[in-house]
């Protein structure tokens, strides 16, 4: 009797969640549909064995330009709960989400809506919301909490399980947030400049103290103007910035034009590496997770601007 009680206690301590909550996660799993990988990964970490998560948009897919397919409609119909970013991230799918919410009476949650309005940024047009909130890990914690709370609200029998998983994941997010601050601080202030194609890093800029310049604006639907490209070239030359960056989900043409312009003025600029902005890396790689994606971005930026890569 005593041996059984001790074993039960050890299991609770090792696993970190109540045994009863674990036992409740039986088949069929909750069918979770997310738009982008950054949301899907958080939902998987919080839901764990209780959920089966599908992301509509995989590695390298640009959510600004994405249009729902016939297969996506089937996924939306089959889902038990749907998570999307909001703030105009999935600009062409907003009407679809509203139809699913009202017509099929499904829980449809815009996770970025949890973020307080005074902490949100506007894009370069000073009108359109900037949806790239996951670039600030401390803000993306609001999204994680929104996912946790929606799962608990709709599946209260698993509340203890979701809460324990969310607590563990939020702790990892806090650790990553601190890691980024320490790494960016290694870069000399004058060279603490991130130049990339489209404006997906403003939240990262504000949170971690690095200037960001992007000629294309917050949406990849926008075109980079000639003057914007010239201004970016001059910035690189004047401040002796050694590297600029491409993004995995954006055409590199703008960056190539900037490099050519800098070279014409006698300043050699290299591509410091690829950054993950609107999509994560391949499934099964560290960059294929939200935490791994943001950490990889930081390591690439720091090593390139310090000349370590």
């Amino acid at each position: 009797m005593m041996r059984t009680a001790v074993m039960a206690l050890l299991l609770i301590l090792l696993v970190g969640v109540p045994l009863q909550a674990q036992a409740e996660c039986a088949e069929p799993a909750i069918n979770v549909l997310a738009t982008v990988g950054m949301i899907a990964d958080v939902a998987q970490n919080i839901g764990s064995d209780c959920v089966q998560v599908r992301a509509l948009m995989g590695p390298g897919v640009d959510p600004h330009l994405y249009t729902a397919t016939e297969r996506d409609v089937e996924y939306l119909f089959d889902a038990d709960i749907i998570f999307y970013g909001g703030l105009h991230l999935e600009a062409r799918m907003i009407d679809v989400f509203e139809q699913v919410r009202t017509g099929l009476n499904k829980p449809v949650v815009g996770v970025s809506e949890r973020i307080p309005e005074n902490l949100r940024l506007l894009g370069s047009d000073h009108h359109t919301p900037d949806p790239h909130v996951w670039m600030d890990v401390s803000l993306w914690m609001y999204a994680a909490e929104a996912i946790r709370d929606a799962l608990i609200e709709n599946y209260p029998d698993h509340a203890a399980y979701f809460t324990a998983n969310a607590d563990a994941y939020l702790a990892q997010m806090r650790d990553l947030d601190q890691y980024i601050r320490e790494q960016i601080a290694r870069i000399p202030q004058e060279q603490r400049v991130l130049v990339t194609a489209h404006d997906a890093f403003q939240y990262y800029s504000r949170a971690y103290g690095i200037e960001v310049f992007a000629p294309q604006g917050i949406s990849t639907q926008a075109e980079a103007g000639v003057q914007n490209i010239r201004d970016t070239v001059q910035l690189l030359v004047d401040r002796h910035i050694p590297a600029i960056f491409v993004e995995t989900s954006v055409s590199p043409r703008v960056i190539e034009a900037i490099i050519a312009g800098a070279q014409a003025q006698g300043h050699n600029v290299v591509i410091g590496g690829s950054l993950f902005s609107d999509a994560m890396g391949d499934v099964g790689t560290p960059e294929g997770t939200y935490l791994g994606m943001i950490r990889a971005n930081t390591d690439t930026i720091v090593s390139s601007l310090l000349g370590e890569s």
Side-chain angles (χ1 to χ4, degrees):
M1 186 78 173
M2 178 64 71
R3 182 173 181 272
T4 302
V6 171
M7 288 180 66
L9 178 59
L10 286 173
L11 282 170
I12 291 175
L13 293 174
L14 287 171
V15 178
V17 296
L19 291 180
Q20 183 180 3
Q22 279 194 312
E24 290 169 353
C25 294
E27 295 290 344
I30 300 163
N31 190 352
V32 175
L33 185 67
T35 51
V36 294
M38 293 76 75
I39 299 173
D41 187 55
V42 176
Q44 185 63 68
N45 276 276
I46 294 174
S48 192
D49 292 338
C50 284
V51 300
Q52 182 166 343
V53 182
R54 181 190 300 274
L56 288 181
M57 308 175 203
V61 176
D62 184 346
H64 300 289
L65 305 178
Y66 190 83
T67 302
T69 66
E70 184 176 341
R71 184 183 61 178
D72 292 341
V73 173
E74 295 177 6
Y75 292 153
L76 290 163
F77 186 84
D78 293 338
D80 297 315
I81 186 169
I82 298 162
F83 295 111
Y84 69 100
L87 302 182
H88 297 277
L89 175 66
E90 307 92 345
R92 299 182 179 181
M93 295 188 67
I94 298 303
D95 291 341
V96 176
F97 294 140
E98 186 58 33
Q99 291 172 13
V100 170
R101 180 187 286 114
T102 57
L104 299 179
N105 196 29
K106 289 179 183 286
V108 180
V109 181
V111 299
S112 297
E113 294 172 6
R114 173 68 67 91
I115 297 167
E117 289 191 18
N118 66 309
L119 297 180
R120 303 176 190 176
L121 293 174
L122 293 177
S124 53
D125 62 0
H126 305 292
H127 176 71
T128 307
D130 185 338
H132 304 95
V133 288
W134 57 85
M135 291 299 182
D136 178 346
V137 179
S138 66
L139 286 189
W140 203 233
M141 292 174 71
Y142 285 103
E145 291 169 349
I147 292 170
R148 174 200 64 197
D149 293 348
L151 289 172
I152 290 173
E153 179 182 354
N154 289 279
Y155 305 97
D157 289 347
H158 307 314
Y161 185 72
F162 295 145
T163 299
N165 288 342
D167 287 347
Y169 191 71
L170 289 166
Q172 293 181 63
M173 296 178 81
R174 282 188 287 271
D175 289 345
L176 177 60
D177 185 66
Q178 182 59 34
Y179 173 83
I180 298 169
R181 296 177 192 280
E182 293 170 354
Q183 293 302 304
I184 295 298
R186 295 173 54 209
I187 306 170
Q189 186 69 48
E190 182 66 16
Q191 291 190 336
R192 206 175 294 172
V193 180
L194 172 62
V195 179
T196 188
H198 100 289
D199 201 358
F201 290 86
Q202 288 300 329
Y203 286 103
Y204 191 94
S205 169
R206 183 181 68 178
Y208 305 116
I210 182 170
E211 295 179 68
V212 171
F213 291 87
Q216 197 167 340
I218 64 170
S219 173
T220 52
Q221 297 184 74
E223 291 293 333
V226 173
Q227 189 58 50
N228 289 340
I229 292 176
R230 287 175 178 168
D231 290 344
T232 305
V233 168
Q234 202 58 50
L235 168 78
L236 293 168
V237 173
D238 291 344
R239 295 182 60 172
H240 308 289
I241 306 302
I244 59 177
F245 302 87
V246 296
E247 298 168 51
T248 58
S249 57
V250 179
S251 170
R253 288 179 301 173
V254 172
I255 294 299
E256 290 167 355
I258 292 170
I259 290 174
Q263 287 176 338
Q265 295 194 42
H267 178 58
N268 198 30
V269 179
V270 300
I271 293 179
S274 295
L275 301 180
F276 301 94
S277 56
D278 290 338
M280 302 191 305
D282 292 332
V283 175
T285 67
E287 297 81 10
T289 69
Y290 168 68
L291 298 178
M293 157 193 172
I294 300 297
R295 187 182 183 102
N297 279 351
T298 298
D299 291 343
T300 297
I301 292 166
V302 172
S303 63
S304 296
L305 292 181
L306 287 177
E308 296 176 349
S309 59

